[in-house]
Amino acid sequence: MSQANVTLFTVDAVLILDNDSHRILTKYYQPPHPYPNNQYASQYPTIKEQRAFEKGLFDKTHKQGTDIILFDNHVVVYKEVVDVIIYVVGGLNENETMLYQVVLALRDSLEILLKHSLDKRTIIDNYDLVSLAVDETIDDGIILETDPTIISTRVSRPPAYDSSVKNLDLSEQGLMNAYQMAKEKLAERLKQAL
Amino acid sequence: MSYKKNEDLDSGPGGAVMDKMTVFQDCIAGFNASPIQPRKCRVLLTKLTYLLSTGDTFARDESTRLFFSITKLFQHKDIALRQMVYLVIKELATSADDVIMVTSSIMKDTTVGSDVVYRPNAIRTLARIIDASTIQAIERLIKTAIVDKHPIVSSAALISSYHLLPVSREVVRRWANETQDTVLAQKVFPQAAYGGAAGGLGIGPAGPASSFMTQYHALGLLYQLRSHDRMALIKMIQQLANAGSAMKSPAAVVMLIRFVARAIDEDRNMRRPLYTLLEGWLKHKSDMVNFEAAKTILEMRDSTDAEASPAINVLQLFLSSPRFVSRFSAIRILNRFAMIRPQNVNVCNIDIEALINDPNRSIATYAITTLLKTGNEASVDRLMKQITGFMNDISDEFKIIVVDAIRSLCLKFPSKQASMLSFLSGVLRDEGGYEFKRAVIEAMFDLIKFVPDSKEDALSYLCEFIEDCEFTKLAVRILHLLGEEGPSTAHPTKYIRYIYNRVVLENAIVRAAAVTALSKFSLIDDASVQESVKVLLTRCLDDPDDEVRDRAAMALRLSATEKPIAKEYLSPESVPSLGALEQQLILYVTGGPDAASIAFDISSVPFISKDQADADQFRAKTMATLPILGGTSLDSGSGAGSGGVSPSKTPANIGEDYAQKYATSLAKIPELQAFGALIRSSRPVQLTESETEYVITGIKHLYKEHLVLQFDVQNTLPDTVLEDVSVIANPSTADDGTEPFVEEFIIAIPRLTQESTGTIYVAFTRPSGEEHAYTGGVFSNILRFTSKEIDPTTGEPEEEGYEDEYQVEDIEIGVADFLVPTYVGNFQHMWDQLSFETSETYNLAGVGSLSEACSSVIDSLSMQPLEGSETPLQNATHVLKLFARTLQGGKVVALVRMAYSAKTGVTLKISARAEDERVAHMVVGGIA
């Protein structure tokens, strides 16, 4: 009777495509250590199959804005924002609302991280934040977190500068920089200690 | 499909050019530079991530080089850099060699204070680089992390354990206690935990305390550790369900519901208490829990109306939800349920009708197909009118789904054929592409084949259609059908005119098909018709196309010969089994020069009669409507090459297919070759529970004078080898004290290694003589073997083993093994034809509904339900009509009248008619 999924493997893929169906970020998940008989292995092992899937999916969903579709034996939920579409792909019998929560979590955490300018250019420019956010949401198919605030706080911002001992800048500007750096570091430590 | 790299993105993150080799070189140089520049290195790592997440891959040696230069970055303490390092290491762990080398660096990071942002990342990365030989080293570390008070750390450890299951289930099992403690622990964030690292985005007092996902992860892992122990599982379910509000995570509750579904499935006694839990979850405050509970209730095989109705009510409310996803879930579950119990979904019809115009086309299609199911015979007409109204507004692929739904409706309510036929002919005149027209034509073909009353009308609609048909393929198929069906109608001459028009007006392919169709009319016993066909065929001899002329000449020649010969060529009674023909031809073609030296032997291909071919098709078609349940047919038009529902996938002809499946493997066994051709193989039957130490399935193979029992034995124990594995199968003694089945030999398994599968065959002589053609029996089976444990130090089995026996369930040879379900067009006709009748009344107290009774009768008799009678339309009474052939080809029909009341269960009276007295008795006695 029941084909319900009793494993934690819930998400088959996360895709972020632009409005020409080009890839911005794509992750097809499978367990990091293979199971016997290749159970749970990805259904789209090659780039060619993945592209075909993405293309077909895009054609069916671009400018539709209707959140959910059954495609190629998968439940796919998606959100289109400006010039990108975020997809979360799950199994045919997966709980639709559960997947939907994941796509919302991704979208909303990116909104927070990218200061509400969620578009292709900003994503590319902040690719580290975006890929870390995806990694903090889904871990090889397992939903890690669905609260956008928690996800966004898990993502570290890039360091502000490179510390360089070799060419110490002893000009006024250089000293100012050093002072600035010390101040920030101190603030950071204090915050952590709290 | 060629993949053109996005030009815009060639200047990817950081603004630099994104060329794979440049990035590779930059990375190697950047990571090895001293001192380490965290900002620059994070940019480089980001570029790597970009390449890896858009489809680029590195060769193994490149990956390894990258991997080891990245490990240099562990020297730098920057938090932001370290988090990115982990992201990339995780990606490269599968494609680089010797990743195990970084274990110690990572392990150091997993023991830092729980408020360091990268600690969870380190734990999750660790699971990727650990293998079976090193897993013990991290045991303590993971245990500590699981019970850490910080939810993210705990989750990371749980997920890592989950990923390590295939590496070593044994080791992970030792963490069960820690996992158990975590399920109900409500871990919340320490205040402002990650403020510093996230650059001022810390979780303030206003932020969420936790989403409690840790509970979900712990529960998922716990199930994997406990799933072998059913009692522990039940206990876990009850404990957690009673914990009430302590289960904070909706995802964890969804998981729990799935375990409940499993438990109900496996243990009927738990059904009632567990149902109460499900009903409670219908009122849970989270949507996803409501849906999962409703879905589970409606998927229960034997839910009563009273049990189903709260679930349906909940879903009905969601039908008018503003969220697409909620409407989608609700209509999808209802659609599936409507396939089995349409009458229960009736109450939602008004809400469903509102969804016909939903902007989400999947929702709209589910709504339409659901309505087509829930509509009873009386409402079909009204629905058809409604559908006609919006047919023009929807796209081709949606029209196809609607047409398919109507097609299955036709087969279900043959009496409604007139209105459906006029609907089909109406849409046939509409604009539409090839696939859509094909679907309509297919539907009409089915009507003609399976609803005899509609034949004349449908044929004339088709004749009109080919007068103006732009699709050659369709015209050819219709002409073929006219040739098949036309001659047996009341006014065959009418069709001759239409066919000949094609000869005059169409292209060569259609003309050739028309000539063949025409030639079939020359078989009619009417001199004037024969004469006019001859005249028309003679005219075709002047055709400009070779093929057309050839066919005409051939037909003329044949019509001049004696009728039996002409008939054999022009309209043969049996056709080769196409699947088998294809297989044989492939073998022949790939056989090399040796095989090519002799002609292909057509007699090696089994021929099947027309009746049988029709029956197979019918079965395939009624099955093909089922995938709508799963939603697959919705995708059949999708561009990703998923294709439609191919007939080969549908579980068709039970008897033959199983026999075909096993025939090849059986033929390889020399001892069995002497038995001749395999007549029938049963479907595999589980003889043990699926989660025991030895899992055994049995299959019965019938030969003319022999019976072979096949036992597939699976040794699920990881540390034990079985030797001399055999099955002692004891046939029952007949009433007169004789033993009808005599054991001939047994082919045992000499050695069955751990976690592997082997096959045992036990052969018997069947009782000989005509009077024993249907003699069955019961075999009690005992698995006997010598078990040897494996020494964990050497990996070799120990010298000394001990003999053991294991009782498995009985195999019964009964009525189902002697009957082949067969389709026949007209039940009443068959009923009147057969003379010998017998009947019997039974009371099935334990059966909870008529549909359950139907499927159990169909299963135990192995007969084909006719006229859609396998789905009861009313709750109280039902008549099931069945037909089958015996292995010898004799016919048998059965009429089962049944009545249901809540007090007494199902009472049924079965009457069977057959050519052979014993067959009728056997069928009647076969229920019990």
Side-chain angles (χ1 to χ4, degrees):
Chain A
M1 162 188 92
S2 163
Q3 294 153 22
N5 174 16
V6 287
T7 72
L8 287 179
F9 301 118
T10 310
V11 179
D12 292 340
V14 165
L15 317 169
I16 304 181
L17 304 181
D18 73 2
N19 55 6
D20 285 317
S21 90
H22 292 300
R23 289 177 157 193
I24 298 176
L25 185 149
T26 53
K27 289 246 168 278
Y28 288 81
Y29 295 114
Q30 54 186 353
H33 298 286
Y35 274 74
N37 310 326
N38 270 333
Q39 222 181 337
Y40 315 121
S42 174
Q43 277 175 303
Y44 306 99
T46 65
I47 290 266
K48 203 177 153 198
E49 289 162 281
Q50 295 177 359
R51 284 303 294 158
F53 174 74
E54 287 156 22
K55 204 105 190 148
L57 180 60
F58 179 82
D59 289 344
K60 290 256 181 281
T61 48
H62 181 47
K63 296 244 188 276
Q64 291 292 328
T66 53
D67 291 0
I68 184 163
I69 186 173
L70 284 181
F71 183 76
D72 203 22
N73 283 323
H74 289 280
V75 171
V76 183
V77 291
Y78 61 98
K79 276 288 172 195
E80 192 162 1
V81 191
V82 193
D83 53 356
V84 293
I85 312 185
I86 307 171
Y87 297 94
V88 171
V89 183
L92 193 57
N93 289 310
E94 201 42 74
N95 187 308
E96 295 89 351
T97 316
M98 196 142 127
L99 291 174
Y100 189 60
Q101 227 185 35
V102 177
V103 80
L104 289 184
L106 266 181
R107 183 195 66 181
D108 296 344
S109 61
L110 292 183
E111 292 269 8
I112 298 173
L113 286 166
L114 305 180
K115 310 216 161 60
H116 300 285
S117 59
L118 184 50
D119 56 61
K120 182 176 165 189
R121 193 67 249 168
T122 321
I123 290 179
I124 300 279
D125 289 344
N126 297 281
Y127 204 78
D128 48 347
L129 303 184
V130 176
S131 50
L132 283 172
V134 172
D135 183 60
E136 292 294 340
T137 312
I138 300 148
D139 181 278
D140 279 335
I142 300 180
I143 303 174
L144 203 52
E145 184 51 75
T146 51
D147 186 294
T149 326
I150 298 177
I151 295 168
S152 57
T153 47
R154 289 280 310 136
V155 174
S156 62
R157 298 266 169 195
Y161 43 80
D162 278 327
S163 56
S164 166
V165 200
K166 230 188 280 174
N167 26 348
L168 267 181
D169 188 357
L170 289 175
S171 66
E172 194 177 350
Q173 182 62 38
L175 284 173
M176 276 306 284
N177 282 348
Y179 168 69
Q180 198 67 29
M181 168 180 157
K183 200 170 119 185
E184 276 176 33
K185 266 274 184 275
L186 189 66
E188 211 168 76
R189 287 280 150 77
L190 280 174
K191 255 186 205 159
Q192 268 178 39
L194 275 172
Chain B
M1 196 176 303
S2 75
Y3 166 45
K4 187 175 159 290
K5 190 107 187 148
N6 194 344
E7 286 158 23
D8 200 18
L9 295 188
D10 277 344
S11 60
V17 177
M18 291 296 287
D19 168 68
K20 191 171 118 182
M21 276 338 281
T22 323
V23 172
F24 177 76
Q25 298 295 352
D26 287 355
C27 283
I28 298 289
F31 301 154
N32 286 312
S34 176
I36 293 162
Q37 301 185 320
R39 187 181 165 81
K40 186 177 161 208
C41 287
R42 178 149 153 154
V43 171
L44 286 171
L45 288 170
T46 306
K47 285 185 183 175
L48 263 183
T49 316
Y50 176 77
L51 288 178
L52 292 170
S53 319
T54 45
D56 269 316
T57 47
F58 287 96
R60 212 159 178 92
D61 56 325
E62 290 171 342
S63 288
T64 311
R65 268 188 80 189
L66 274 173
F67 189 86
F68 284 99
S69 51
I70 290 169
T71 56
K72 298 234 161 54
L73 301 179
F74 275 108
Q75 292 163 18
H76 199 281
K77 288 252 174 294
D78 189 278
I79 293 170
L81 175 65
R82 189 68 59 88
Q83 199 181 24
M84 207 62 202
V85 165
Y86 279 121
L87 186 72
V88 179
I89 286 189
K90 237 175 83 180
E91 290 294 316
L92 291 176
T94 47
S95 58
D97 292 320
D98 302 324
V99 294
I100 206 91
M101 309 279 283
V102 296
T103 314
S104 65
S105 303
I106 298 180
M107 276 175 67
K108 217 178 285 163
D109 277 356
T110 58
T111 51
V112 293
S114 56
D115 51 350
V116 175
V117 79
Y118 57 73
R119 185 178 175 204
N121 302 71
I123 294 172
R124 287 195 284 130
T125 309
L126 195 57
R128 267 79 180 172
I129 60 161
I130 284 297
D131 61 24
S133 61
T134 46
I135 184 166
Q136 305 214 332
I138 62 161
E139 203 181 323
R140 239 182 85 181
L141 184 158
I142 296 280
K143 274 187 182 175
T144 325
I146 289 178
V147 294
D148 195 283
K149 63 183 190 311
H150 199 291
I152 301 277
V153 175
S154 181
S155 279
L158 291 166
I159 286 177
S160 300
S161 314
Y162 201 86
H163 284 319
L164 288 170
L165 282 172
V167 176
S168 172
R169 199 168 271 269
E170 283 314 303
V171 175
V172 178
R173 203 166 273 157
R174 293 187 215 139
W175 309 334
N177 286 340
E178 285 77 9
T179 310
Q180 168 84 50
D181 291 344
T182 314
V183 174
L184 284 178
Q186 299 173 24
K187 297 187 179 182
V188 293
F189 284 97
Q191 288 290 306
Y194 295 132
L201 273 169
I203 304 168
S210 175
S211 60
F212 302 105
M213 284 300 274
T214 312
Q215 293 187 331
Y216 168 65
H217 301 136
L219 188 58
L221 180 60
L222 202 58
Y223 178 78
Q224 294 297 323
L225 303 180
R226 295 268 163 88
S227 60
H228 284 277
D229 183 350
R230 190 185 298 167
M231 283 324 291
L233 202 61
I234 297 268
K235 216 177 117 194
M236 178 178 94
I237 291 173
Q238 281 169 335
Q239 185 196 350
L240 294 179
N242 293 332
S245 60
M247 286 284 277
K248 295 256 185 209
S249 157
V253 182
V254 166
M255 205 67 177
L256 195 57
I257 292 176
R258 292 178 184 169
F259 302 159
V260 168
R262 282 270 163 114
I264 290 180
D265 218 22
E266 282 165 6
D267 189 350
R268 311 303 297 159
N269 297 330
M270 291 309 295
R271 196 179 163 285
R272 201 162 295 277
L274 291 179
Y275 169 79
T276 325
L277 291 178
L278 290 176
E279 198 180 9
W281 279 315
L282 286 176
K283 300 186 197 87
H284 195 275
K285 60 182 186 302
S286 165
D287 292 5
M288 72 170 95
V289 175
N290 303 151
F291 282 124
E292 198 70 27
K295 186 156 113 189
T296 308
I297 292 176
L298 296 183
E299 272 177 7
M300 279 184 354
R301 250 171 310 174
D302 49 357
S303 55
T304 61
D305 289 355
E307 285 169 338
S309 111
I312 291 175
N313 291 342
V314 167
L315 294 176
Q316 188 175 7
L317 290 178
F318 280 116
L319 286 177
S320 43
S321 156
R323 267 192 181 186
F324 284 111
V325 174
S326 300
R327 293 203 300 274
F328 181 93
S329 285
I331 189 71
R332 188 172 176 210
I333 299 168
L334 287 172
N335 177 290
R336 196 183 298 211
F337 192 60
M339 300 292 158
I340 321 161
R341 305 251 295 270
Q343 72 278 9
N344 292 56
V345 186
N346 281 344
V347 288
C348 308
N349 274 2
I350 297 176
D351 298 275
I352 297 176
E353 272 174 40
L355 295 180
I356 287 179
N357 295 318
D358 200 281
N360 184 316
R361 301 194 300 170
S362 308
I363 297 177
T365 313
Y366 273 133
I368 295 164
T369 43
T370 311
L371 285 173
L372 285 175
K373 291 292 166 196
T374 56
N376 52 22
E377 212 162 339
S379 71
V380 165
D381 291 318
R382 189 176 60 87
L383 256 169
M384 296 295 253
K385 208 172 277 168
Q386 223 170 10
I387 295 169
T388 322
F390 72 79
M391 268 311 256
N392 288 327
D393 304 332
I394 56 178
S395 72
D396 262 19
E397 61 167 319
F398 266 75
K399 287 181 186 167
I400 293 172
I401 294 165
V402 174
V403 168
D404 278 347
I406 288 175
R407 186 181 69 180
S408 51
L409 204 62
C410 295
L411 302 183
K412 206 168 120 199
F413 302 124
S415 60
K416 286 286 159 200
Q417 50 91 9
S419 68
M420 296 192 227
L421 198 56
S422 71
F423 170 79
L424 288 174
S425 71
V427 294
L428 200 52
R429 277 192 288 269
D430 288 349
E431 288 290 303
Y434 169 73
E435 285 297 330
F436 166 55
K437 290 281 159 89
R438 196 184 60 94
V440 181
I441 299 286
E442 292 270 357
M444 292 177 90
F445 277 24
D446 283 359
L447 269 175
I448 292 170
K449 255 191 205 135
F450 305 114
V451 188
D453 292 345
S454 66
K455 193 157 140 184
E456 300 263 332
D457 286 339
L459 284 179
S460 40
Y461 283 130
L462 289 173
C463 285
E464 272 170 43
F465 176 64
I466 52 169
E467 290 283 282
D468 182 24
C469 170
E470 50 187 316
F471 304 109
T472 302
K473 264 191 196 165
L474 293 181
V476 169
R477 291 189 59 182
I478 292 171
L479 283 168
H480 175 75
L481 185 84
L482 288 176
E484 295 279 304
E485 303 289 344
S488 59
T489 53
H491 309 285
T493 43
K494 178 172 141 197
Y495 305 109
I496 296 181
R497 183 169 61 84
Y498 282 108
I499 296 172
Y500 190 69
N501 278 348
R502 296 301 100 209
V503 178
V504 181
L505 297 166
E506 288 279 358
N507 63 39
I509 299 171
V510 179
R511 289 203 307 273
V515 167
T516 308
L518 211 49
S519 66
K520 294 191 179 170
F521 283 83
S522 65
L523 292 174
I524 298 172
D525 273 328
D526 182 333
S528 71
V529 175
Q530 279 177 14
E531 197 48 43
S532 53
V533 169
K534 210 178 214 165
V535 171
L536 294 174
L537 284 174
T538 315
R539 281 190 209 158
C540 297
L541 289 175
D542 299 330
D543 197 277
D545 187 80
D546 289 353
E547 175 73 23
V548 180
R549 282 200 309 276
D550 287 356
R551 288 192 185 197
M554 168 96 170
L556 276 172
R557 182 72 209 281
L558 282 171
S559 60
T561 60
E562 283 184 31
K563 205 170 168 201
I565 300 174
K567 192 165 162 45
E568 197 184 321
Y569 280 95
L570 289 175
S571 106
E573 272 299 305
S574 58
V575 288
S577 159
L578 288 179
L581 178 64
E582 185 185 1
Q583 200 189 354
Q584 297 280 356
L585 281 173
I586 291 172
L587 277 178
Y588 182 75
V589 171
T590 53
D594 287 350
S597 62
I598 43 168
F600 178 71
D601 181 15
I602 187 79
S603 64
S604 67
V605 179
F607 275 66
I608 49 175
S609 72
K610 272 235 170 85
D611 282 353
Q612 222 171 348
D614 283 354
D616 289 354
Q617 258 184 16
F618 177 77
R619 201 173 295 114
K621 273 178 180 142
T622 34
M623 290 310 245
T625 56
L626 289 177
I628 296 180
L629 308 180
T632 35
S633 73
L634 273 184
D635 324 316
S636 55
S638 65
S642 61
V645 184
S646 75
S648 61
K649 273 194 232 155
T650 53
N653 200 331
I654 304 163
E656 229 173 79
D657 273 9
Y658 280 110
Q660 260 172 24
K661 189 172 154 199
Y662 296 113
T664 24
S665 57
L666 290 173
K668 284 189 195 128
I669 300 163
E671 286 92 334
L672 300 179
Q673 279 166 3
F675 293 175
L678 177 63
I679 303 176
R680 168 112 206 236
S681 294
S682 72
R683 73 179 91 187
V685 191
Q686 286 279 349
L687 299 178
T688 56
E689 317 238 330
S690 59
E691 275 157 11
T692 47
E693 298 157 342
Y694 318 108
V695 178
I696 304 175
T697 43
I699 302 154
K700 301 166 267 187
H701 303 290
L702 279 180
Y703 290 84
K704 190 155 184 291
E705 288 163 354
H706 299 86
L707 165 76
V708 174
L709 298 180
Q710 172 182 346
F711 297 93
D712 291 334
V713 185
Q714 190 193 354
N715 175 13
T716 61
L717 295 173
D719 47 13
T720 308
V721 172
L722 307 181
E723 288 182 358
D724 300 324
V725 191
S726 60
V727 170
I728 313 301
N730 277 319
S732 58
T733 42
D735 299 339
D736 53 5
T738 56
E739 288 197 4
F741 292 92
V742 182
E743 182 172 329
E744 289 234 319
F745 56 81
I746 171 165
I747 304 174
I749 309 171
R751 184 184 161 92
L752 191 59
T753 53
Q754 61 274 35
E755 294 180 327
S756 67
T757 307
T759 303
I760 301 171
Y761 297 96
V762 189
F764 295 89
T765 318
R766 279 176 65 189
S768 56
E770 169 57 18
E771 75 274 17
H772 284 298
Y774 304 111
T775 302
V778 178
F779 294 80
S780 63
N781 308 306
I782 296 168
L783 184 73
R784 186 172 286 173
F785 52 86
T786 307
S787 132
K788 292 185 175 174
E789 283 192 14
I790 291 183
D791 190 325
T793 49
T794 59
E796 289 296 313
E798 287 168 1
E799 287 286 305
E800 288 292 299
Y802 59 94
E803 287 190 13
D804 203 355
E805 284 186 356
Y806 190 77
Q807 177 87 36
V808 298
E809 279 174 39
D810 296 348
I811 289 184
E812 194 186 346
I813 306 285
V815 45
D817 296 295
F818 300 112
L819 295 179
V820 181
T822 312
Y823 174 78
V824 65
N826 192 331
F827 178 83
Q828 195 56 42
H829 179 66
M830 202 47 84
W831 181 259
D832 296 340
Q833 228 179 37
L834 296 170
S835 51
F836 190 85
E837 179 175 339
T838 179
S839 59
E840 191 75 60
T841 309
Y842 293 95
N843 185 5
L844 311 176
V847 178
S849 73
L850 287 177
S851 54
E852 197 183 321
C854 280
S855 51
S856 99
V857 168
I858 293 167
D859 268 358
S860 57
L861 294 182
S862 163
M863 292 176 81
Q864 172 75 33
L866 297 175
E867 300 174 12
S869 63
E870 70 271 32
T871 16
L873 299 172
Q874 286 155 345
N875 286 330
T877 56
H878 181 64
V879 179
L880 177 65
K881 297 169 181 175
L882 300 166
F883 181 73
R885 280 176 185 275
T886 62
L887 293 179
Q888 287 78 16
K891 299 167 193 159
V892 54
V893 284
L895 193 68
V896 189
R897 290 192 173 80
M898 40 181 93
Y900 172 76
S901 84
K903 226 188 280 165
T904 56
V906 173
T907 311
L908 62 85
K909 180 184 180 195
I910 175 167
S911 312
R913 285 190 178 188
E915 292 160 313
D916 184 334
E917 184 179 340
R918 289 171 310 162
V919 177
H921 278 302
M922 177 176 78
V923 167
V924 164
I927 288 188

